[in-house]
């Protein structure tokens, strides 16, 4: 236990504490502000009340926007999972001509064509298709954006599934449809669940696409409505914003904990826009 | 983009008897959507970028081709140069320095921390990463606020409007906070490749912490540092979330390229000019992505 060693250990703990504080302090706001009778913007020991929660539930658009978010994100997650599952199985098991080039192209696409870089043409395209202000249009755009990465993650997963299951089912005379339904689908369930959650979380937090494409307030998902509150400011919104932020964060946190406890948190970079 | 090398395995075995025809049918819906909402927009940007397409009120004026006028305009546009410079600053500060160094420091210090400490700290950092960006933006608006903000109460002062006086510093803090989790996880798994025996012998010969990091650890994770830096830089350069904090203001002081594209297109209605800038961004992304894939392939 030399003095130098002690100094080093102390420095080490100070560093860890500083980093932890950096991550923890901004989060305190979301825990205290929703229940504070005089919600400023800062963190203080709140004057406990559930008044803000009531105000939020009474707000004409707050809960409505959660429903919009659910509609858009469930549609997106289901579409991404279904189409990525079909494509990744075929790409994993069948030698489609030009398969390798296609996979390489998908990999490039998923990182090159970001929401930001494609925002103007997508806006113009949806404008000309008459899909501005349509929740379905938002789900379509998000699905297209998430598919390449989803196909990649799932293809890795299917590649790791032993082929012997399918082989033996085939030996016993099962048809292709039966094999896919009764053999491949059950084995692939964890992978599909992961993609479902991944796509849902990614679209839940997506601000840019609905912000571009949705104009009327009654169709806005939560991510955009929160921004609308922020722009308007005012004391009425100051009591709604914290509660709304908390409510809006619950689904992604719960899903993350669920996936984490069941499969362990496996890290997939996604298109976070 | 999955954060690991693309493996194209050897001969695929069609064990379920799908056949090429049906396999193409399986791939078709995904390819149609990708084609419509990723490939087509990317290609169409090139066309809109050489026209004078404008959006005025509710009517779009039918465009005519103006050649490379939008690109020469970008060359002489001080606001575009400003956006480029701010984007470089944003990437350098929040990705290359902030997320990289914090992510590595966390991965390195958490290696031997008690499991409870490790779970808590990693959980916090991951929580910052999974919270919706609109919520995180508001959290930081609250943190920086002039009158009731947490930062001013910590410093025991009032009246500094941080987002107005130091917008880029605020954005860099915000984005470092939000994105560190990715680097932390990546470096956590990369550090497992460092042989404990080498760390042990470094300790035996009395190497300092820095020497150990430089001569023992770094050679093992050099490839990871490089690819991670490329990837998070690409994401950061394309990140739209600065808009949520400052809208590019005050007076264009935090208007990064993504925010500038939005402001030119949807505030100014200049769809042609903003498409030209979008195309330049696409090209930059393509260069970085090609470099990234090449490095990944060399590493595997």
């Amino acid at each position: 236990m030399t003095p130098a060693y002690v100094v080093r250990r102390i420095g080490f703990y100070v560093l860890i504490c500083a980093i932890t504080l950096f991550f923890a302090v901004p989060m305190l706001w979301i825990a205290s502000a929703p229940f504070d009778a005089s919600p400023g913007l800062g963190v203080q020991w709140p004057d406990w009340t559930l008044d803000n929660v009531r105000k939020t539930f009474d707000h004409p658009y707050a809960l409505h926007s959660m429903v919009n978010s659910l509609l858009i994100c469930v549609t997106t997650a289901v579409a991404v999972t279904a189409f990525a599952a079909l494509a990744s199985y075929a790409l994993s098991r069948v030698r489609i001509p030009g398969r390798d080039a296609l996979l390489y192209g998908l990999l490039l696409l998923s990182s090159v064509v970001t929401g930001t870089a494609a925002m103007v043409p997508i806006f113009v395209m949806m404008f000309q298709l008459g899909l501005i202000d349509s929740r379905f249009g938002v789900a379509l755009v998000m699905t297209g954006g998430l598919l390449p990465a989803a196909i990649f993650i799932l293809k890795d997963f299917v590649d790791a599934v032993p082929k012997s299951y399918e082989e033996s089912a085939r030996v016993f005379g099962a048809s292709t449809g039966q094999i896919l339904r009764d053999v491949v689908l059950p084995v692939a369930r964890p992978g599909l669940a992961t993609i479902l959650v991944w796509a849902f979380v990614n679209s839940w937090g997506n601000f840019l696409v609905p912000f571009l494409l949705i104009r009327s307030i009654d169709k806005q998902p939560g991510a955009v409505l929160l921004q609308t509150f922020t722009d308007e400011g005012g004391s009425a919104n100051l009591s709604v914003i914290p509660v709304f932020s908390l409510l809006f964060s619950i689904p992604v946190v719960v899903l993350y904990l669920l996936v984490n406890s069941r499969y362990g948190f496996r890290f997939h970079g996604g298109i976070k826009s | 983009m999955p954060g690991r090398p693309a493996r194209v395995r050897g001969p695929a075995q069609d064990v379920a008897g799908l056949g090429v025809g049906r396999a193409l049918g399986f791939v078709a819906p995904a390819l149609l959507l990708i084609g419509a909402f990723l490939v087509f927009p990317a290609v169409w940007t090139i066309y809109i970028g050489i026209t004078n397409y404008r959006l005025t009120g509710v009517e779009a004026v039918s465009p005519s081709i103006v050649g490379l006028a939008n690109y020469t305009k970008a060359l002489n546009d001080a606001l575009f140069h400003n956006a480029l410079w701010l984007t470089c600053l944003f990437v350098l500060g929040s990705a290359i320095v902030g997320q990289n160094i914090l992510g590595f420091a966390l991965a390195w210090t958490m290696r031997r921390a008690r499991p409870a400490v490790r779970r808590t700290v990693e959980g916090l950092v991951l929580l910052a990463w999974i919270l919706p960006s609109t919520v995180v933006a508001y959290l930081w608006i609250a943190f920086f606020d002039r009158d009731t903000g947490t930062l001013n109460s910590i410093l025991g002062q009032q009246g500094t409007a941080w987002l107005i006086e130091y917008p880029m510093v605020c954005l860099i803090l915000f984005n470092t906070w939000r994105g560190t989790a990715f680097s932390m996880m990546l470096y956590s798994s990369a550090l497992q490749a460092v042989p404990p025996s080498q760390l042990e012998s470094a300790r035996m010969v009395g190497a300092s912490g820095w020497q150990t990091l430089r001569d023992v650890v770094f050679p093992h994770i050099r490839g990871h540092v490089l690819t991670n830096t490329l990837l998070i830089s690409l994401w950061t350069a394309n990140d739209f979330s600065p808009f949520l904090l400052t809208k590019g203001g005050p007076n264009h002081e935090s208007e990064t390229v993504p925010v500038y594209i939005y402001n030119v297109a949807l505030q100014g209605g200049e769809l042609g000019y903003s498409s030209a800038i979008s195309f330049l961004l696409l090209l930059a992304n393509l260069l970085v992505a090609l470099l990234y894939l090449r490095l990944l392939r060399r590493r595997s």
Side-chain angles (χ1 to χ4, degrees):
Chain A
M1 288 289 275
T2 57
Y5 174 80
V6 174
V7 168
R8 264 219 310 275
R9 291 313 285 173
I10 290 174
F12 179 78
Y13 284 116
V14 167
L15 178 73
I16 291 187
C17 287
I19 293 177
T20 310
L21 279 177
F22 173 66
F23 281 96
V25 168
M27 275 187 207
L28 294 175
W29 173 85
I30 208 169
S32 72
F35 312 106
D36 193 337
S38 57
L41 287 159
V43 173
Q44 52 189 352
W45 187 246
D47 185 356
W48 295 103
T49 172
L50 287 176
D51 217 26
N52 304 327
V53 180
R54 194 182 47 75
K55 275 187 190 148
T56 307
F57 282 104
D58 289 346
H59 192 281
Y61 297 114
L63 292 183
H64 192 72
S65 77
M66 298 276 180
V67 176
N68 290 337
S69 280
L70 268 177
L71 277 175
I72 291 171
C73 298
V74 169
T75 308
T76 304
V78 170
V80 167
T81 308
F83 295 145
L86 288 171
S88 60
Y89 182 80
L91 287 168
S92 169
R93 292 289 195 260
V94 184
R95 185 83 68 83
I96 298 169
R99 183 185 70 152
D100 297 3
L102 179 70
L103 285 169
Y104 188 79
L106 282 180
L107 195 58
L108 267 184
L109 265 182
S110 65
S111 56
V112 172
V113 189
T114 55
T116 317
M119 111 175 96
V120 181
I122 282 178
F123 175 80
V124 174
M125 186 166 104
M126 299 310 262
F127 183 81
Q128 298 198 338
L129 288 173
L131 280 171
I132 294 287
D133 221 22
S134 143
R135 281 162 291 193
F136 179 68
V138 171
L140 271 180
V141 172
M142 284 189 188
T143 304
L146 292 172
L147 267 173
I151 290 172
F152 254 90
I153 298 170
L154 263 184
K155 182 182 170 293
D156 261 8
F157 189 87
V158 180
D159 281 344
V161 172
K163 299 182 179 69
S164 49
Y165 299 148
E166 291 144 81
E167 273 164 357
S168 43
R170 199 144 182 225
V171 168
F172 284 104
S175 72
T176 304
Q178 283 172 318
I179 294 176
L180 291 182
R181 197 181 56 235
D182 303 330
V183 180
V184 179
L185 202 61
V187 174
R189 201 164 283 151
L192 294 177
T194 306
I195 286 293
L196 200 65
V197 168
W198 173 85
F200 184 88
V201 169
N202 259 296
S203 49
W204 189 262
N206 190 317
F207 165 77
L208 180 57
V209 177
F211 181 65
L212 272 182
L213 301 179
I214 290 193
R215 291 281 164 260
S216 45
I217 193 165
D218 61 317
K219 290 182 182 168
Q220 282 179 358
V224 182
L225 189 73
L226 187 56
Q227 183 63 19
T228 311
F229 286 150
T230 311
D231 286 348
E232 289 170 357
S235 59
N237 282 346
L238 274 188
S239 56
V240 172
I241 289 171
V243 181
F244 189 82
S245 298
L246 188 61
L247 283 178
F248 189 62
S249 303
I250 287 171
V252 285
V253 174
V254 168
L255 281 173
Y256 156 73
L257 290 173
L258 198 79
V259 170
N260 200 15
S261 63
R262 285 197 56 168
Y263 308 111
F265 191 73
R266 289 229 314 288
F267 209 85
H268 297 295
I271 310 164
K272 305 249 315 169
S273 47
Chain B
M1 178 191 274
R4 61 184 176 296
R7 281 195 310 276
V8 179
R9 295 267 175 102
Q13 286 173 290
D14 186 4
V15 274
L18 202 58
V20 172
R22 261 189 300 186
L24 285 172
F26 272 30
V27 180
L31 284 192
L32 275 177
L33 278 164
I34 292 168
F37 296 104
L38 279 179
V39 182
F40 177 70
V43 175
W44 209 24
T45 309
I46 303 172
Y47 166 71
I48 306 175
I50 56 167
T51 66
N52 61 358
Y53 200 176
R54 292 186 58 84
L55 196 67
T56 44
V58 286
E59 259 324 289
V61 180
S62 74
S64 56
I65 293 190
V66 293
L68 293 179
N70 287 322
Y71 292 92
T72 48
K73 183 176 175 180
L75 271 180
N76 304 312
D77 178 6
L79 283 178
F80 176 57
H81 301 173
N82 172 59
L84 278 178
W85 152 243
L86 290 175
T87 307
C88 289
L89 196 68
F90 187 52
V91 168
L92 185 73
S94 67
I96 297 176
V97 175
Q99 292 175 20
N100 238 339
I101 288 182
L102 261 189
F104 181 81
L106 280 162
W108 180 250
T109 51
M110 288 302 130
R111 260 179 336 131
R112 288 175 312 186
R114 291 189 195 89
V117 174
R118 181 174 181 154
R119 263 201 306 274
T120 310
V121 174
E122 282 186 351
L124 259 182
V125 179
L126 278 168
L127 184 61
W129 187 69
I130 57 166
L131 284 176
S133 57
T134 338
V135 172
V136 175
Y138 200 81
L139 216 93
W140 283 90
I141 289 173
F143 185 79
F144 289 128
D145 186 69
R146 192 188 61 185
D147 301 317
T148 54
T150 314
L151 184 56
N152 280 338
S153 41
I154 291 173
L155 298 173
Q157 61 176 42
Q158 286 293 302
T160 311
W162 299 95
L163 276 169
I164 291 170
E165 288 183 43
Y166 309 100
M168 280 317 286
V169 177
C170 294
L171 284 181
I172 285 169
L173 278 174
F174 150 81
N175 199 48
T176 301
W177 190 87
R178 215 167 58 101
T180 293
F182 184 81
S183 302
M184 177 182 80
M185 301 293 282
L186 195 134
Y187 288 138
S188 282
S189 64
L191 282 173
Q192 287 170 355
V194 182
S197 59
Q198 290 188 11
L199 290 172
E200 189 57 30
S201 41
R203 224 165 47 97
M204 301 282 267
V205 299
S208 72
W210 290 120
Q211 282 170 323
T212 310
L213 278 183
R214 199 188 58 209
D215 301 331
V216 180
V217 178
F218 186 69
H220 284 285
I221 62 164
R222 185 181 292 135
H224 294 275
V225 173
L226 212 54
T227 47
N228 180 54
T229 305
L230 279 176
L231 200 53
I232 59 179
S233 297
L234 192 146
W235 288 340
T236 303
N238 284 272
D239 189 19
F240 191 68
S241 56
F243 180 88
L244 298 168
L245 263 82
T246 62
K247 299 227 174 351
N251 191 22
H252 307 286
E253 278 172 52
S254 61
E255 197 170 43
T256 55
V257 170
V259 181
Y260 189 55
I261 290 174
Y262 176 85
N263 285 340
V264 168
L266 286 120
Q267 304 296 315
E270 294 186 72
L271 297 174
Y273 182 44
S274 59
S275 284
I277 298 174
S278 299
F279 181 63
L280 294 175
L281 181 62
L282 276 174
L283 282 182
N285 289 348
L286 185 65
L287 283 177
V288 174
L290 285 171
L291 187 60
Y292 169 85
L293 288 176
R294 165 164 295 198
L295 286 171
L296 267 192
R297 201 167 281 169
R298 189 177 306 162
R299 206 173 75 200
S300 49

